[in-house]
C-alpha cells in the first residue's frame, strides 16, 4: 500500500505501507503541523519503507528528523532547511539515497516517477 498525504492519515498503520509519497507546493508546510502526519513518516522511515517527496515535500522529512547524513534534493528555496537538518543537498532532478527519493520541481516528475516505479517494482 502507498500512502499519499492528500488527507489526514487517521487510521493508517505504517506497517501496512510500502511507501509514502509527499507532494510539493505549500501543503507540506501545513501537513507538518499535524503530529500524526510527522509520526507516520517517523514510523515508515526506520523500518526501510520508501519515503519520497518532490519540491517542498522535503519539509516533512525535515520535521521528521530523517535527513542527517542523507543525500537529497528539493525545491531550491528549502535547501537551507534541509542542510540545517543535516542533509547533503544536490541540485539534481532526482536523488535516491537508500529508502529516500527526492526531486526538485514538477519538471522533474518524469525522472521522479521512473525511480519510484523502479523502486516499488
Amino acid at each position: 500500500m502507498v500512502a499519499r498525504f492528500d488527507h489526514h492519515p487517521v487510521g493508517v498503520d505504517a506497517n501496512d505501507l510500502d511507501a509514502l509519497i509527499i507532494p510539493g507546493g505549500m501543503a507540506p508546510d501545513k501537513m507538518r503541523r499535524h503530529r500524526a502526519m510527522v509520526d507516520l513518516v517517523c514510523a515508515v522511515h526506520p523500518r526501510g519503507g520508501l519515503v519520497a517527496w518532490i519540491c517542498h515535500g522535503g519539509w516533512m522529512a525535515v520535521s521528521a528528523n530523517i535527513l542527517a547524513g542523507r543525500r537529497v534534493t528539493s525545491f531550491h528555496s528549502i535547501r537551507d532547511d534541509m542542510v540545517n537538518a543535516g542533509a547533503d543537498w544536490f541540485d539534481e532532478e532526482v536523488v535516491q539515497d537508500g529508502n529516500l527519493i527526492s526531486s526538485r520541481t514538477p519538471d522533474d516528475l518524469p525522472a521522479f516517477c521512473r525511480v519510484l516505479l523502479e523502486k516499488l517494482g
Side-chain angles (χ1 to χ4, degrees):
M1 173 189 267
V2 176
R4 292 181 45 183
F5 283 109
D6 293 89
H7 306 287
H8 192 277
V10 174
V12 173
D13 183 345
N15 293 314
D16 293 335
L17 302 178
D18 298 314
L20 297 174
I21 302 171
I22 306 167
M26 296 311 290
D29 186 42
K30 293 180 181 176
M31 293 184 311
R32 66 186 182 153
R33 298 175 203 177
H34 298 279
R35 188 72 237 168
M37 296 184 100
V38 175
D39 288 346
L40 187 58
V41 175
C42 292
V44 170
H45 176 262
R47 66 171 186 72
L50 181 66
V51 178
W53 65 84
I54 192 164
C55 195
H56 289 79
W59 271 333
M60 286 292 290
V62 169
S63 293
N65 293 316
I66 63 170
L67 297 180
R70 303 298 294 271
R71 298 182 69 228
V72 300
T73 194
S74 66
F75 190 69
H76 65 87
S77 70
I78 69 166
R79 175 191 177 276
D80 290 348
D81 300 321
M82 301 192 85
V83 168
N84 289 334
D88 294 321
W89 190 90
F90 295 86
D91 186 14
E92 298 175 8
E93 66 181 357
V94 65
V95 174
Q96 180 180 353
D97 183 351
N99 64 326
L100 300 182
I101 298 173
S102 54
S103 279
R104 302 170 299 188
T105 69
D107 289 340
D108 298 330
L109 278 169
F112 181 66
C113 291
R114 185 173 46 256
V115 172
L116 280 172
L117 292 172
E118 288 171 7
K119 186 75 174 176
L120 289 170

